[in-house]
């Protein structure tokens, strides 16, 4: 008898995350705003505690470290998103990021719940994954991805409070199209070439036009203090995420040498992880040297979010292949 039913786990956690997102949203239009926000934060805390218990229970049930397939990685990602909100954002009192964090967790719960049964079931590990390097290499990467997502979400809110509404809309549409490409690649048999074009084309065009529209400002929407706060949140999330990604890349090389006899093979996902690392290294450099405005840095952060999405899920679902691919799901 399983300790945790997968269907019950998904349903409970999805409902908690979705409910907390709605409570955050309704708090914006309610006269009981403070109470609503506290209730929503309590729901996220409950969801985080339940998810922590579920991951631990799954590990005991499987008799191994519970991070060996795409389904389990989505649980870890949602766990890290919730945790980053509770630790990094909540203490700054910025509730607008709460519903975005809860919505992101909900999306990843749903994404995981729709994966084929062989991805959700507890099955014996393939030989390549039977290694102590798995629990050293993979968790820092997943947590860094979640922190980069948190930074990207904070950057979207920063654009709102900076009055860059056109750029914000273009960035949101770009992210939605990128996610759509990944979902179609995961659950349908659409030709991968079209999906790659959708992801890459929409990302390039969307960010280009968002960048071009930054000078267009809605002055009545500007709240400089809150914009600065969300800019700081994005910076803090990236400053924590980059060392974790660095550690993940280094340990990945050590694991690769142990398993395949080479530290670096220019595997597509390895290469994309390096590109993602370089994008955030560029963010840190530009921020330290004050070479870009906060709004342009926000778009750099959103570019990083898209690269993170491509590194984490895109190379599998969009058919780029490589040694790290799970294969397409239909």
């Amino acid at each position: 008898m399983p300790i945790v039913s997968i269907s019950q786990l998904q349903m409970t956690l999805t409902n908690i995350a979705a409910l907390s997102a709605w409570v955050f949203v309704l708090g914006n239009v309610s006269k009981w705003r403070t109470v609503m926000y506290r209730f929503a934060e309590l729901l996220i805390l409950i969801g985080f505690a339940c998810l922590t218990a579920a991951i631990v229970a799954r590990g005991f049930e499987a008799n191994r470290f519970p991070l060996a397939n795409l389904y389990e990685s989505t649980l870890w990602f949602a766990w890290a998103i919730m945790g980053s909100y509770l630790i990094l954002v909540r203490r700054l009192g910025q509730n607008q990021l709460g519903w975005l964090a809860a919505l992101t967790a909900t999306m990843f719960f749903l994404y995981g719940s729709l994966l084929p049964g062989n991805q959700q079931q507890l099955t014996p590990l393939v030989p390549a994954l039977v290694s102590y390097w798995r629990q050293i290499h993979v968790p820092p990467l997943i947590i860094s991805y979640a922190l980069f997502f948190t930074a990207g979400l904070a950057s979207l809110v920063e654009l709102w409070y900076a009055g860059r509404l056109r750029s914000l809309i273009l960035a949101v549409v770009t992210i939605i199209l990128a996610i759509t490409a990944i979902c179609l690649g995961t659950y349908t048999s659409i030709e991968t070439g079209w999906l790659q074009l959708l992801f890459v084309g929409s990302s390039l065009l969307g960010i280009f036009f968002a960048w071009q529209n930054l000078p267009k400002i809605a002055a009545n929407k500007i709240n400089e203090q809150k914009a600065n706060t969300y800019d700081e949140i994005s910076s803090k999330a990236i400053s924590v995420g980059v060392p974790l990604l660095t550690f993940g890349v280094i340990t990945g090389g050590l694991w690769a040498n142990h398993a395949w006899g080479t530290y670096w093979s220019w595997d597509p996902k390895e290469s994309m992880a390096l590109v993602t690392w370089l994008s955030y290294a560029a963010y840190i450099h530009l921020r330290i040297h004050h070479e870009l405005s906060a709004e342009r840095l926000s778009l750099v952060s959103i570019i990083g979010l898209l690269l993170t999405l491509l590194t984490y899920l895109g190379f599998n679902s969009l058919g780029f292949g490589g040694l790290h691919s799970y294969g397409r799901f239909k």
Side-chain angles (χ1 to χ4, degrees):
M1 188 77 175
I3 296 176
V4 178
S5 165
I6 290 174
S7 59
Q8 291 175 347
L9 165 69
Q10 286 290 348
M11 184 62 68
T12 301
L13 294 174
T14 301
N15 287 341
I16 290 174
L19 179 59
S20 62
W22 277 111
V23 175
F24 271 118
V25 171
L26 293 174
N28 289 324
V29 296
S30 172
K31 63 180 180 180
W32 299 294
R33 178 175 300 183
T34 302
V35 175
M36 296 285 279
Y37 283 159
R38 287 180 179 175
F39 179 52
E41 289 175 352
L42 176 62
L43 286 174
I44 288 185
L45 182 59
I46 292 172
F48 180 76
C50 291
L51 185 51
T52 302
I55 290 172
V56 171
R58 188 175 175 89
F60 278 111
E61 183 182 354
N63 196 30
R64 60 165 171 76
F65 190 77
L67 185 48
N69 54 40
L70 185 56
Y71 168 76
E72 291 174 353
S73 81
T74 61
L75 296 183
W76 276 82
F77 185 94
W79 176 84
I81 280 283
M82 289 180 167
S84 65
Y85 172 77
L86 291 169
I87 296 171
L88 186 64
V89 181
R90 179 178 172 274
R91 64 186 181 86
L92 296 175
Q94 302 305 312
N95 305 102
Q96 293 303 323
L97 202 56
W99 72 272
L100 287 173
L103 179 62
T104 301
T106 303
M107 289 171 53
F108 274 84
F109 287 142
L110 289 174
Y111 182 87
S113 69
L114 294 174
L115 290 172
N118 63 350
Q119 273 293 313
Q120 300 184 33
Q121 295 166 0
L122 295 173
T123 56
L125 294 176
V126 297
L129 294 179
V130 183
S131 171
Y132 59 87
W133 283 109
R134 179 168 51 87
Q135 49 263 43
I136 298 173
H137 165 64
V138 184
L141 286 178
I142 300 297
I143 295 171
S144 73
Y145 296 160
L147 285 165
F148 294 150
F149 254 77
T150 300
L153 296 175
S155 294
L156 292 174
V157 182
E158 194 274 337
L159 288 176
W160 169 266
Y161 283 119
R164 269 56 173 198
L165 300 189
R166 289 192 182 185
S167 294
L168 171 62
I169 292 171
L170 287 164
V172 170
V173 170
T174 300
I175 293 170
I176 290 173
L177 289 174
I179 292 173
T180 299
I182 285 175
C183 289
L184 289 174
T186 303
Y187 306 118
T188 74
S189 300
I190 295 175
E191 176 61 39
T192 53
W194 290 109
L195 299 176
Q196 292 169 10
L197 180 62
L198 175 59
F199 188 104
V200 177
S202 63
S203 296
L204 292 175
L205 289 174
I207 293 300
F208 173 78
F209 286 115
W211 195 281
Q212 291 294 106
N213 278 274
L214 274 177
K216 298 175 181 178
I217 304 172
N220 61 321
K221 298 292 185 181
I222 293 179
N223 185 324
E224 188 173 342
Q225 181 180 359
K226 287 193 174 183
N228 290 337
T229 300
Y230 282 99
D231 178 54
E232 180 187 354
I233 291 171
S234 181
S235 175
K236 287 182 181 296
I238 290 171
S239 67
V240 177
V242 167
L244 290 173
L245 178 60
T246 304
F247 181 80
V249 170
I250 292 172
T251 55
L254 295 173
W255 188 5
N257 184 61
H258 177 77
W260 302 320
T262 178
Y263 290 100
W264 193 267
S265 59
W266 295 105
D267 180 73
K269 193 160 187 173
E270 289 178 355
S271 303
M272 199 63 230
L274 177 60
V275 172
T276 302
W277 184 90
L278 289 172
S279 74
Y280 285 108
Y283 175 96
I284 292 173
H285 171 82
L286 293 169
R287 187 175 187 89
I288 290 174
H289 293 279
H290 305 285
E291 295 185 18
L292 290 180
S293 65
E295 292 73 36
R296 294 191 186 279
L297 279 173
S298 290
L299 282 183
V300 175
S301 172
I302 293 167
I303 292 171
L305 184 153
L306 291 167
L307 292 173
T308 299
L309 194 60
L310 183 59
T311 304
Y312 178 29
L313 298 175
F315 270 87
N316 185 70
S317 62
L318 300 180
F320 287 102
L323 295 170
H324 292 81
S325 177
Y326 295 100
R328 292 193 69 191
F329 307 122
K330 299 181 181 178

